[in-house]
Amino acid sequence: MNASFYVAALGACNQQERLNVVANNLANINTEGYQTKDLSFIELMRYNLNADGKEKTKLQAGAGSTYKAVTTNFQSGAIEQTESQYDYAIIGDGFFMLQNPETNEITYTRNGHFILSKHGENSYLANENGKYVLSTDKKPIVLVDGEVKDQIGVADFTNKHWLENIGENEYRANERNGRPVLVENAMVQDHCLELSNVNIAEEYMKMVESQRAYSYALKMLQTSDEIETVISNLRG
């Protein structure tokens, strides 16, 4: 009976985490370049139900499931035209490369909403957090008379699904991604932005599923608790 209680409690916690991910997706539906997140689950170990503790039977019981990781859907979103000359959208796969001027760390994003950033005597193409946009030579893009003369660099990965989400719509690469590869002849459209790829209908469907699963898990918790109470009263 304790097993059913803990399995139900674990299930309720899992669905709460999934609802958090869905809520985050819906909250970023109007965020340029936002990539939809999802929660993947794995089944925990199963075990055989033994009649006498020695002989194995074909009956098995599960220990529930738990969430494995938050995955990202890197499918491109819709492209929208804008009036800003510093707005860019990548047509196809890849990421803009950003360099932190203080640490020189390079991060990656699909959000092409850039601004002019003044630093010393030079003006750089940067994102709203002040990180420089890199060119195909992997150097910060210096604006000449307010114009972008260098070609904006686009990088991609063999295994992009292991990119670490660090917030602010940016990603950090690690060993599991492999080395970033510069996309040759990448199509970068100016005066355009890539919109969020969140599918509202799909997210609402996930929300309804999780809410129902959460309520079922709580009902299972309540039933297990009631049975334990009855057993305790009988023993007393």
Side-chain angles (χ1 to χ4, degrees):
M1 194 57 59
N2 288 333
S4 64
F5 185 89
Y6 291 122
V7 168
L10 182 60
C13 292
N14 290 338
Q15 295 307 321
Q16 180 62 58
E17 288 295 331
R18 193 187 188 201
L19 284 171
N20 291 339
V21 173
V22 171
N24 184 63
N25 288 336
L26 293 175
N28 285 279
I29 195 169
N30 292 320
T31 301
E32 293 87 358
Y34 178 79
Q35 310 289 291
T36 305
K37 308 297 186 295
D38 197 8
L39 203 63
S40 60
F41 295 91
I42 55 173
E43 185 180 19
L44 297 178
M45 186 179 296
R46 288 176 171 268
Y47 58 92
N48 288 89
L49 294 174
N50 298 332
D52 57 3
K54 296 181 180 179
E55 182 181 357
K56 291 185 177 180
T57 67
K58 294 183 179 181
L59 299 176
Q60 288 190 334
S65 63
T66 187
Y67 60 90
K68 181 180 180 181
V70 177
T71 57
T72 303
N73 177 9
F74 287 105
Q75 183 178 356
S76 300
I79 304 299
E80 181 182 61
Q81 290 188 342
T82 70
E83 297 181 355
S84 174
Q85 63 175 337
Y86 301 132
D87 283 345
Y88 296 90
I90 299 173
I91 310 300
D93 296 332
F95 301 87
F96 296 110
M97 298 177 289
L98 305 175
Q99 184 181 61
N100 189 320
E102 298 179 356
T103 64
N104 291 326
E105 179 188 28
I106 296 178
T107 55
Y108 305 87
T109 185
R110 292 281 297 186
N111 184 4
H113 179 57
F114 302 136
I115 59 174
L116 185 153
S117 177
K118 190 77 174 177
H119 188 78
E121 297 181 354
N122 295 325
S123 297
Y124 296 89
L125 186 66
N127 72 347
E128 292 182 329
N129 295 326
K131 295 183 179 181
Y132 299 152
V133 182
L134 301 185
S135 66
T136 53
D137 296 329
K138 296 185 178 180
K139 296 180 179 179
I141 296 177
V142 179
L143 303 184
V144 180
D145 297 328
E147 298 291 333
V148 178
K149 300 298 184 180
D150 296 324
Q151 184 177 354
I152 297 177
V154 176
D156 203 1
F157 298 87
T158 303
N159 186 3
K160 68 184 68 177
H161 296 287
W162 288 108
L163 288 172
E164 179 186 357
N165 183 10
I166 60 174
E168 300 294 336
N169 219 358
E170 295 180 26
Y171 301 90
R172 180 187 293 124
N174 54 61
E175 295 179 355
R176 291 182 291 185
N177 299 118
R179 296 179 61 86
V181 178
L182 192 68
V183 179
E184 296 183 1
N185 301 320
M187 295 182 61
V188 178
Q189 185 69 45
D190 60 355
H191 291 81
C192 289
L193 283 176
E194 178 184 348
L195 303 181
S196 166
N197 66 356
V198 175
N199 186 316
I200 301 179
E202 186 174 338
E203 294 306 311
Y204 274 113
M205 181 185 68
K206 292 178 183 177
M207 182 174 64
V208 172
E209 289 177 350
S210 295
Q211 286 177 335
R212 289 181 178 177
Y214 185 80
S215 63
Y216 293 153
L218 293 184
K219 183 63 177 177
M220 184 175 175
L221 276 171
Q222 181 182 359
T223 302
S224 298
D225 182 66
E226 290 174 353
I227 293 176
E228 285 286 346
T229 302
V230 172
I231 293 175
S232 298
N233 291 336
L234 291 175
R235 288 175 178 173

